[in-house]
Amino acid sequence: MSKINSAIKRIFDFVVSLIGIIIISPILLIVAISIKLDSEGSVLFLQKRIGKDGKPFNIYKFRTMVTNAEKLGAQITVGKDNRITRVGAFLRKYKIDELPQLFNVLKGDMSLVGPRPEVPKYVALYTEEERKVLEVRPGITDLASIRYRDENDILAEVENPEEYYINVIMRDKLKLNLEYIEKSNIFYDIYLIIKTIIKCI
């Protein structure tokens, strides 16, 4: 990605995320209240992910699982995971739990469009070629997010979900991410944002 394209992308990310946060602030408030009324625990879920140049950061999500869910099971979510709360199931279905990541974009940790950031455990398994995805800011959505929108249901149908995720889904996602980096430009980002919104409706 050229420096000019990178600068345009950052300006676009900042402006759109700021406007987006202002517009959806009433929705964010309603979701926060719903989470608190539904189950004990914090409104937000923070998790360490690996960002640009391999630097770790905390990704923001609305909490959709019971408190300390990561200590009660795997880092991947499979099918109708019993750790998911009632409100959480709804938020996940329409990807509303991802909305707080607009603040990650505003801060510069993430972009609106880019390779989805992984947890350190899985990044450690990347090949040298696959690590090229760390040369750009991770995003809220990407080609892989659109293709694997029903990832939880796919994993529910296999015998060893984590093994299948690592050897099949993650590898395919990384190929799509590398493809995105080659094509990346502001117009392609806008196309993927629109496509993501349509998929979530």
Side-chain angles (χ1 to χ4, degrees):
M1 186 184 296
S2 69
K3 288 185 178 180
I4 294 176
N5 190 29
S6 181
I8 292 172
K9 183 178 175 69
R10 178 60 193 141
I11 293 170
F12 175 78
D13 285 340
F14 183 85
V15 172
V16 174
S17 61
L18 180 59
I19 293 173
I21 289 169
I22 293 170
I23 292 174
I24 68 170
S25 56
I27 296 175
L28 298 179
L29 179 59
I30 292 170
V31 172
I33 293 172
S34 299
I35 292 170
K36 290 299 288 185
L37 292 175
D38 182 54
S39 62
E40 293 182 1
S42 63
V43 168
L44 292 178
F45 169 69
L46 275 62
Q47 185 182 54
K48 184 181 289 185
R49 298 289 180 98
I50 302 300
K52 187 176 184 294
D53 300 325
K55 295 177 180 177
F57 70 98
N58 283 322
I59 194 171
Y60 306 140
K61 291 187 175 188
F62 278 125
R63 182 176 59 82
T64 60
M65 290 186 166
V66 296
T67 303
N68 297 322
E70 288 188 300
K71 296 179 181 178
L72 302 174
Q75 287 190 306
I76 56 173
T77 309
V78 180
K80 298 185 184 300
D81 195 308
N82 59 16
R83 295 174 295 172
I84 299 175
T85 64
R86 288 173 299 176
V87 168
F90 176 82
L91 299 181
R92 281 172 172 264
K93 181 178 180 180
Y94 296 102
K95 304 299 181 183
I96 298 171
D97 60 315
E98 310 282 356
L99 291 179
Q101 286 161 48
L102 287 172
F103 290 97
N104 283 120
V105 176
L106 199 63
K107 286 174 57 182
D109 294 329
M110 295 176 65
S111 176
L112 292 170
V113 181
R116 285 294 295 166
E118 272 288 7
V119 294
K121 173 182 177 180
Y122 296 138
V123 172
L125 302 176
Y126 286 6
T127 65
E128 185 176 347
E129 177 68 14
E130 290 168 344
R131 290 188 68 84
K132 289 181 180 179
V133 302
L134 302 178
E135 294 176 3
V136 299
R137 281 190 182 89
I140 294 179
T141 189
D142 62 355
L143 285 166
S145 298
I146 295 170
R147 175 175 292 184
Y148 289 101
R149 187 176 183 279
D150 299 320
E151 180 183 307
N152 293 356
D153 295 330
I154 295 172
L155 292 174
E157 297 176 358
V158 298
E159 186 175 344
N160 189 323
E162 185 166 38
E163 184 179 298
Y164 186 83
Y165 176 77
I166 292 170
N167 296 323
V168 180
I169 294 180
M170 187 177 81
R171 300 303 174 195
D172 190 42
K173 282 183 173 183
L174 288 166
K175 287 180 183 178
L176 290 170
N177 291 337
L178 292 171
E179 179 185 321
Y180 163 76
I181 292 172
E182 288 294 318
K183 295 180 178 179
S184 180
N185 62 66
I186 194 67
F187 299 107
Y188 192 44
D189 280 7
I190 293 171
Y191 164 74
L192 290 177
I193 290 170
I194 293 172
K195 194 168 183 179
T196 299
I197 292 172
I198 292 172
K199 286 282 185 180
C200 290
I201 296 175

